[in-house]
Amino acid sequence: MLRLAHAEGVVNLPSISEHLDVGKSTAHRLVTTLLAENFLQRNPAKPTDFIVGPALLEIGATALRKADIRRHARRPMERLCDQLGETVSLVILEGNSTRVVDGVESKQAIRVGLRTGVVLPANATAAGKLLLAHLPDKSLPELFPQGLPALTGATKATWPDLRQQLAQIRQDGFAYSNAESEPALNGLAVPVRDHTGEIVAAVAIAAPHFRLPLHTARVKSKFLRDTSIAITRALGGG
């Protein structure tokens, strides 16, 4: 039905009923639900017709933004991978988790594999903590109604520990993880902003712990920042 609304621009109860092969009462109940969730809205020019609502438009806009970021991030990520020799990932926040949406895998014999599509708790990764650090502090407990999950003994799984690290991330401008998602795996992440200055993703590297101790991560964070700036410029930002 939503595809029909997209394709036709305007739909009404008879067309919905015919398209779904259901009775008009069933079509009416479906429309009532979609109106309540803002997936449909009444056509101002003719209230008996319906058009695509703001919720569906936002889903489409979000998908387009993600595709746009991936396209513009590809070359900068390839350069970063060549510079540092580590696996590079483009990561977004989904609720209280992170998802790797694209990346470039290291060519080193001992490396962290590319994990496109992988979802992990945000508090257990460098990219996730980076993105959480730029959310309003009071909203964080709402994201984790069941509490903070722990993937390893090093995961920041208490609010005092996590909040302390988020404050440090805001001060440093980068996030670092030390065996927090997997033993012997470290990560480093910086924010990616779009043309409006909004943080829309994180660019991150992951490496075996012996190649990415904290003092090395501080040095390498400059390369990630340069990559982030290049992506932002490709997205039309300054």
Side-chain angles (χ1 to χ4, degrees), residues 4-238:
L4 177 66
H6 262 304
E8 301 295 331
V10 177
V11 293
N12 53 35
L13 280 176
S15 65
I16 292 169
S17 176
E18 180 180 356
H19 180 74
L20 297 179
D21 193 24
V22 297
K24 288 185 179 179
S25 60
T26 299
H28 183 269
R29 287 196 297 272
L30 291 171
V31 167
T32 299
T33 299
L34 293 173
L35 286 171
E37 298 296 331
N38 290 320
F39 286 107
L40 287 180
Q41 60 184 355
R42 293 189 182 277
N43 183 2
K46 189 178 180 182
T48 56
D49 289 343
F50 308 97
I51 58 178
V52 171
L56 191 60
L57 291 172
E58 178 57 29
I59 290 172
T62 299
L64 287 173
R65 285 197 297 270
K66 290 178 183 177
D68 203 40
I69 295 170
R70 284 197 298 268
R71 184 171 70 253
H72 290 297
R74 168 55 57 168
R75 291 295 295 275
M77 287 195 298
E78 289 173 347
R79 288 195 295 269
L80 182 62
C81 184
D82 288 341
Q83 288 172 329
L84 299 184
E86 304 295 357
T87 295
V88 180
S89 297
L90 184 67
V91 184
I92 61 169
L93 190 66
E94 290 187 350
N96 62 13
S97 300
T98 57
R99 182 183 296 275
V100 178
V101 294
D102 201 3
V104 183
E105 187 168 319
S106 167
K107 295 180 176 64
Q108 298 202 60
I110 300 175
R111 63 182 182 271
V112 177
L114 181 60
R115 301 177 176 185
T116 303
V118 168
V119 176
L120 290 172
N123 63 305
T125 69
K129 291 186 295 181
L130 185 287
L131 295 169
L132 291 177
H134 292 87
L135 295 178
D137 187 68
K138 64 181 180 180
S139 72
L140 296 180
E142 298 174 6
L143 285 178
F144 296 90
Q146 306 302 318
L148 296 168
L151 299 185
T152 73
T155 305
K156 299 300 181 285
T158 68
W159 285 112
D161 284 348
L162 181 61
R163 284 196 167 100
Q164 181 179 11
Q165 189 154 85
L166 297 185
Q168 188 66 49
I169 290 167
R170 288 188 287 269
Q171 178 178 320
D172 293 339
F174 68 85
Y176 177 70
S177 63
N178 184 359
E180 294 170 44
S181 62
E182 288 186 22
L185 187 154
N186 292 358
L188 174 67
V190 301
V192 175
R193 299 178 185 272
D194 65 10
H195 67 285
T196 69
E198 179 185 355
I199 294 174
V200 291
V203 62
I205 62 170
H209 69 100
F210 60 87
R211 286 208 303 263
L212 196 61
L214 180 56
H215 67 273
T216 300
R218 290 187 182 278
V219 175
K220 291 185 175 182
S221 67
K222 176 189 180 301
F223 294 91
L224 273 73
R225 288 193 186 100
D226 290 344
T227 300
S228 172
I229 291 169
I231 297 171
T232 298
R233 286 175 177 166
L235 290 169

